[in-house]
């Protein structure tokens, strides 16, 4: 590999690690915002970002997919697909990023493979959301897109549920309502690369949202074989070359709640000896 591009809004820890590792290997590395794409048809070159021709890159690592209007999001995804058509490798593949970005779509693919997901109702009408609340009781209401626990609320009383549904209705959103799984403020993150679990950790949360950005603590964790198998399968059905699988466990068993196609590894790296950045770059250089 000679030229590596990274789509990222900011130079976060993961991006800095990748840039450093690329420099060590004499790989030319550039960072681009996914929000400044220019595409030309019937012309050369075909895809530009900040005047660079992206068709000249060997690999483009997608490290952020900023929120935007439906039109903006669709356009950016179309361009990632187009880059693949121009034989530029995107990491993750654009199809995987697209599937995982939508929590509902991702979880439906998991369910089709027999991977356990929490009981969930997704609906467009407020009345159907109310029915779902009556059916599920204690629930987590989530946005379809989003990360870091943003925009998610836990609701266990009907009054509050109706108020939340009114607020969501006002914003033209979809209702994504999932039973609350009592996980004791802990969850598990498995990091899959190239069809294998490279490392895993337990996240001990301050609240029921166990995202590290919400102050959860990362601890080493030995992944049981059944979770390992489910994580590998989950990554595979989404078409991910690397993925961060979020698993919650209660007395009834374990459930997958999310497959992250842009997983960070800062917290995980602090719990294990395997050099994750190096493994990723080795994989990209294969
Ligand atoms: N159904 C649920 N029951 C209990 N806790 C949940 C549930 N869904 C998510 N969580 C908690 O919230 C966190 C964030 O949820 P997740 O679906 O992974 O969205 P995000 O993209 O914001 O990380 C999870 O890591 C978990 O701790
Ligand atoms: Mg998550």
């Amino acid at each position: 590999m000679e030229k590596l591009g990274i789509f990222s809004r900011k130079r976060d820890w993961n991006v800095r690690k990748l840039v450093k590792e690329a420099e060590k290997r004499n790989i030319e590395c550039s960072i681009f915002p996914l929000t400044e794409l220019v595409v030309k048809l019937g012309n050369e070159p075909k895809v530009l970002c900040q005047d660079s021709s992206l068709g000249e890159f060997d690999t483009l690592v997608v490290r952020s997919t900023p929120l935007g209007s439906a039109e903006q999001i669709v356009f950016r995804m179309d361009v990632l697909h187009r880059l693949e058509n121009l034989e530029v490798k995107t990491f993750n593949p654009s199809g995987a990023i697209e599937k995982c970005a939508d929590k509902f779509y991702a979880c439906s693919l998991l369910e089709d493979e027999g991977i356990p997901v929490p009981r969930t109702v997704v609906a467009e009408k407020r009345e159907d959301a109310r029915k779902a609340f009556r059916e599920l009781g204690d629930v987590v209401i989530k946005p379809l897109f989003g990360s870091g626990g943003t925009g998610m609320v836990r609701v266990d009383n009907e009054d509050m549920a109706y108020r939340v549904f009114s607020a969501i209705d006002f914003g033209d959103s979809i209702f994504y309502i999932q039973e609350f799984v009592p996980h004791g403020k802990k969850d598990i993150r498995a990091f899959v690369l190239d069809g294998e679990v490279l490392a895993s950790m337990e996240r001990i949360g301050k609240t029921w949202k166990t995202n590290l950005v919400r102050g959860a603590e990362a601890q080493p964790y030995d992944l049981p074989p059944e979770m390992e198998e489910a994580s590998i399968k989950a990554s595979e059905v989404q078409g991910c070359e690397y993925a961060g699988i979020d698993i919650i466990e209660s007395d009834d068993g374990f459930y997958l709640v999310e497959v992250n196609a842009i997983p960070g590894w800062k917290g995980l790296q602090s719990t294990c000896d395997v050099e994750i950045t190096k493994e990723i770059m080795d994989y990209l250089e294969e």
Side-chain angles (χ1 to χ4, degrees), residues 29-268:
C29 192
S30 316
I31 298 176
F32 298 109
L34 196 57
T35 48
E36 294 184 30
L37 296 165
V38 176
V39 187
K40 294 183 180 178
L41 300 175
N43 254 312
E44 292 283 342
K46 292 176 176 158
V47 182
L48 300 159
C49 194
Q50 297 182 330
D51 295 329
S52 289
S53 171
L54 298 184
E56 290 166 13
F57 283 76
D58 301 298
T59 300
L60 291 165
V61 177
V62 183
R63 283 303 313 166
S64 81
T65 49
L67 291 174
S69 67
E71 203 170 46
Q72 287 167 325
I73 291 172
V74 170
F75 169 68
R76 293 169 198 156
M77 281 315 310
D78 289 345
V79 178
L80 292 181
H81 283 296
R82 179 147 181 74
L83 283 162
E84 283 178 328
N85 291 343
L86 298 173
E87 289 178 2
V88 178
K89 177 184 173 66
T90 74
F91 181 75
N92 263 310
S94 49
I97 292 168
E98 198 163 36
K99 285 179 194 132
C100 294
D102 175 339
K103 287 193 171 69
F104 153 65
Y105 189 47
C107 279
S108 0
L109 295 177
L110 299 183
E111 168 142 289
D112 292 347
E113 287 298 311
I115 297 169
V117 296
R119 287 194 302 156
T120 305
V121 177
V122 190
E124 199 159 338
K125 283 186 64 198
R126 201 194 306 193
E127 194 39 49
D128 292 319
R130 289 180 170 187
K131 267 192 221 155
F133 176 77
R134 279 182 235 123
E135 193 184 309
L136 298 173
D138 189 357
V139 302
V140 176
I141 302 165
K142 299 185 187 183
L144 287 194
F145 299 149
S147 61
T150 312
M152 296 175 26
V153 280
R154 177 182 174 189
V155 178
D156 64 358
N157 89 59
E158 193 150 343
D159 254 11
M160 188 54 83
Y162 288 9
R163 275 197 241 172
V164 172
F165 294 147
S166 309
I168 292 175
D169 219 4
F170 197 66
D172 300 328
S173 297
I174 295 287
F175 300 98
Y176 186 80
I177 305 155
Q178 193 162 72
E179 71 173 318
F180 178 80
V181 176
H183 52 56
K185 299 186 190 168
K186 283 193 285 192
D187 82 347
I188 295 142
R189 163 59 69 92
F191 191 96
V192 179
L193 175 69
D194 192 18
E196 280 175 33
V197 173
L198 193 62
S200 53
M201 67 174 162
E202 192 167 50
R203 298 183 291 195
I204 323 284
K206 287 203 161 73
T207 69
W208 64 271
K209 289 186 199 176
T210 57
N211 303 76
L212 296 180
V213 289
R214 300 205 170 252
E217 198 187 305
Q219 293 284 346
Y221 184 74
D222 243 340
L223 198 66
E226 61 278 15
M227 287 190 197
E228 183 174 350
E229 193 190 325
S231 300
I232 292 169
K233 206 167 176 190
S235 169
E236 191 189 335
V237 293
Q238 314 288 349
C240 290
E241 295 182 8
Y242 78 141
I245 318 291
D246 291 344
I247 306 170
I248 50 182
E249 198 177 17
S250 72
D251 294 342
D252 304 337
F254 72 87
Y255 303 91
L256 268 64
V257 282
E258 201 192 9
V259 178
N260 292 277
I262 307 178
W265 58 95
K266 185 181 178 192
L268 182 62

